[in-house]
Amino acid sequence: MSHISSLLEFIKKSPSPFHVIRKATEVLGNNGFEELKLADTWRLQSGKAYMVSVYDSTLIAFTIGAEPCASLRLAAAHTDFPCLRIKPNPDLTVHGYRKVNVEVYGGMIRESWLDRPLSAAGKLTLCGSDAFQPRPMLIDIGKPFLTIPRLAIHMNPKTNDGLSLNPQKEMLPLMGTGHDESDFLTFMSGCCGIPKEEIVSYDLTVYPTEHGTCTGCNDEFLSSPRLDNLTSVKACLEAISSRRHREGIRLVALFDNEEVGNHTKQGAASSLLPELLQRIYLNLGFTYEDYMACHSRGFLLSLDVAHGMHPNYPEKNDITNFPLLNGGPVLKTACSQRYAGDAEAAAVIIALCRREGIPLQYFVNRSDMSGGSTLGSVLSAHLAMRAMDVGVPVLAMHSARELMGGADQTSLEKLTTAFLQS
């Protein structure tokens, strides 16, 4: 249960990708990781541990063993999640009701966000010393000041036949009434104690304020927002923090923007990770040839949640592979390579699980369904090394509240630690 309570606390403190990275930096800092800046000159040393925050929503952390070229192992996850993001000029008044203009980020299940207490968190940018030096400030309002009320069934008798929600019309949160004439920025400045005129711009995530909890007759399940993909982020942090390996380089990469395709400066499709790996080896005195040789022997473990078999919709599952909650982590495979992996990569993870006594399952899409993808295949296109996609099985993926088996988090952390520290 310590893994579950720790995960729930991590999720609670991580209502936006910026907060995920702040919490991750705190965890790693407490475990002796030294913070580097991309714009600084590095002087890396064997036996040390380092971390690099990239635009405040992506983080690379790595440890350097006594023989850096002995082995290279990477674990990757993503910090973002489907949600609503607040647009510029968000104020909208309709017949005395004040609403906030938002847009949909990622493939969220829209209906799951209705009738929930919502708040906002993220980054404000304030006036700086000059135009090129704005001052970032992380904020979490905490207070549930938004909600998206559902239309009563009396006014839409076909509600239970299925609900289609227009994101520009029916997903706009209610903020208040016209009796209070303060606008959104005035409200934010009051909550943060910052003069409104100092707020230049923002990147704000709307999130459900209801915290995660255990459920099931024996508390065997975990119901929470943001299980996709903070389960994997937490496993990466636990694994890299233990620092038991003596040789080689171990690295975790926590990327933003997976839910919208990875193609950003801080996303997995950027040049960030290949360039950073090369920088590490060259900084340690190795040649480019040394780096390429070690690179070719590397292994990437891509961590993201998997679809568990839904007991109310078993026909949606593959006909021979049934990932069950609390059945252990899942090897995600697809001949289309939308998930990274091959037979030898799978064999490595299977052998680790057998050695550590970790249960393991397979996820494969039904042959008549396309399914999703994750950052594993994107990263492996830029890093010519073996890779495998793994994750915990969940139900209600991309809902405002998802469901997983509590034992699976323990197994995932054990597997990720065995992978990085062996």
Side-chain angles (χ1 to χ4, degrees), residues 179-221:
H179 300 300
D180 179 2
E181 296 184 358
S182 64
D183 60 16
F184 177 76
L185 277 185
T186 300
F187 172 76
M188 296 296 289
S189 67
C191 291
C192 304
I194 299 294
K196 176 183 173 180
E197 56 273 15
E198 289 193 23
I199 301 175
V200 179
S201 60
Y202 52 76
D203 189 341
L204 295 174
T205 294
V206 175
Y207 71 92
T209 58
E210 302 149 312
H211 299 315
T213 185
C214 291
T215 186
C217 59
N218 295 307
D219 288 339
E220 63 263 51
F221 300 127

Side-chain angles (χ1 to χ4, degrees), residues 55-314:
Y55 301 109
D56 301 325
S57 62
T58 287
L59 184 75
I60 310 292
F62 57 96
T63 61
I64 304 173
E67 296 182 32
C69 265
S71 59
L72 172 62
R73 292 190 193 133
L74 319 176
H78 66 87
T79 63
D80 61 325
F81 40 86
C83 62
L84 297 170
R85 296 282 175 89
I86 297 176
K87 292 182 178 180
N89 303 314
D91 298 291
L92 184 66
T93 301
V94 178
H95 293 291
Y97 289 104
R98 293 189 298 129
K99 300 197 294 183
V100 176
N101 194 10
V102 297
E103 58 185 327
V104 172
Y105 178 91
M108 62 185 285
I109 300 177
R110 298 171 191 171
E111 187 179 5
S112 69
W113 285 69
L114 302 183
D115 305 322
R116 294 184 181 274
L118 306 171
S119 190
K123 180 193 287 187
L124 300 181
T125 50
L126 312 178
C127 296
S129 56
D130 62 64
F132 287 92
Q133 298 294 327
R135 293 181 294 131
M137 175 183 176
L138 262 60
I139 64 164
D140 178 9
I141 299 303
K143 167 187 169 64
F145 70 100
L146 298 170
T147 191
I148 309 170
R150 188 187 304 265
L151 184 65
I153 193 169
H154 312 82
M155 298 177 181
N156 182 13
K158 295 184 179 181
T159 291
N160 292 325
D161 296 335
L163 190 60
S164 177
L165 297 169
N166 183 307
Q168 187 60 78
K169 180 179 184 295
E170 290 142 342
M171 293 300 294
L172 301 186
L174 179 64
M175 178 179 170
T177 63
H179 300 300
D180 179 2
E181 296 184 358
S182 64
D183 60 16
F184 177 76
L185 277 185
T186 300
F187 172 76
M188 296 296 289
S189 67
C191 291
C192 304
I194 299 294
K196 176 183 173 180
E197 56 273 15
E198 289 193 23
I199 301 175
V200 179
S201 60
Y202 52 76
D203 189 341
L204 295 174
T205 294
V206 175
Y207 71 92
T209 58
E210 302 149 312
H211 299 315
T213 185
C214 291
T215 186
C217 59
N218 295 307
D219 288 339
E220 63 263 51
F221 300 127
L222 177 59
S223 170
S224 176
R226 303 187 290 283
L227 295 179
D228 179 7
N229 189 30
L230 297 192
T231 55
S232 302
V233 170
K234 183 67 164 49
C236 286
L237 292 174
E238 291 292 328
I240 196 73
S241 294
S242 58
R243 296 174 60 186
R244 291 198 301 266
H245 80 284
R246 297 180 181 179
E247 297 181 342
I249 289 177
R250 302 293 182 265
L251 181 148
V252 299
L254 310 177
F255 288 103
D256 195 3
N257 301 135
E258 189 275 341
E259 298 291 358
V260 291
N262 298 292
H263 292 275
T264 65
K265 63 188 182 302
Q266 64 268 20
S270 73
S271 62
L272 173 64
L273 186 53
E275 290 178 355
L276 189 141
L277 279 171
Q278 183 176 338
R279 183 175 182 178
I280 291 171
Y281 281 93
L282 296 181
N283 191 275
L284 291 169
F286 295 99
T287 65
Y288 182 75
E289 184 75 12
D290 295 330
Y291 161 66
M292 291 304 297
C294 189
H295 182 149
S296 68
R297 297 190 297 270
F299 197 113
L300 166 68
L301 186 65
S302 168
L303 298 169
D304 200 353
V305 296
H307 293 288
M309 194 277 286
H310 198 302
N312 293 344
Y313 304 93

